[in-house]
Amino acid sequence: MIFTSFRNDADAIGYAEAAAAMDALAAVQPGYRGVDSAREADGMGITVSYWADDAAAIAWRDHPEHAAIRDRGRARWYDRYAVSVTRVERAYAWTRP
């Protein structure tokens, strides 16, 4: 799942606490495979979360605590966001020795 968001300047501490809580909660969900996230200084962010299958991703979307934080995000932290659901067929990585 690819989550692109545009944050405003409201309640940075509350946002950071909620983001950390959601990272921890997602990590213990069945089918969770990992997450990559980045945010620019202007508030634009991209979070890619990896799930074993559609059922696991949908269960995360529908998780009551995640839904509550999503509602808080709409009301307080985000100017806009978009979610794209996709499949990763192959992935590669390289790290400088």
Side-chain angles (χ1 to χ4, degrees), residues 17-47:
E17 291 171 351
M22 289 301 98
D23 284 348
L25 182 61
V28 298
Q29 298 308 302
Y32 175 82
R33 297 294 184 254
V35 67
D36 294 309
S37 190
R39 184 161 304 278
E40 294 288 327
D42 68 357
M44 193 273 195
I46 299 174
T47 298

Side-chain angles (χ1 to χ4, degrees), residues 3 5 11-12 21-23 33-34 53 58 80 88 91 93 96:
F3 176 69
S5 62
D11 187 24
M22 289 301 98
D23 284 348
R33 297 294 184 254
D53 52 33
I58 290 167
R80 67 184 185 274
V88 176
R96 182 173 305 282

Side-chain angles (χ1 to χ4, degrees), residues 28-84:
V28 298
Q29 298 308 302
Y32 175 82
R33 297 294 184 254
V35 67
D36 294 309
S37 190
R39 184 161 304 278
E40 294 288 327
D42 68 357
M44 193 273 195
I46 299 174
T47 298
V48 181
S49 62
Y50 303 94
W51 300 90
D53 52 33
D54 287 337
I58 290 167
W60 172 243
R61 180 198 66 194
D62 295 343
H63 189 286
E65 289 178 61
H66 183 218
I69 290 295
R70 183 173 53 245
D71 290 344
R72 193 191 291 160
R74 289 175 179 160
R76 189 177 303 171
W77 301 311
Y78 295 117
D79 289 334
R80 67 184 185 274
Y81 68 77
V83 176
S84 299

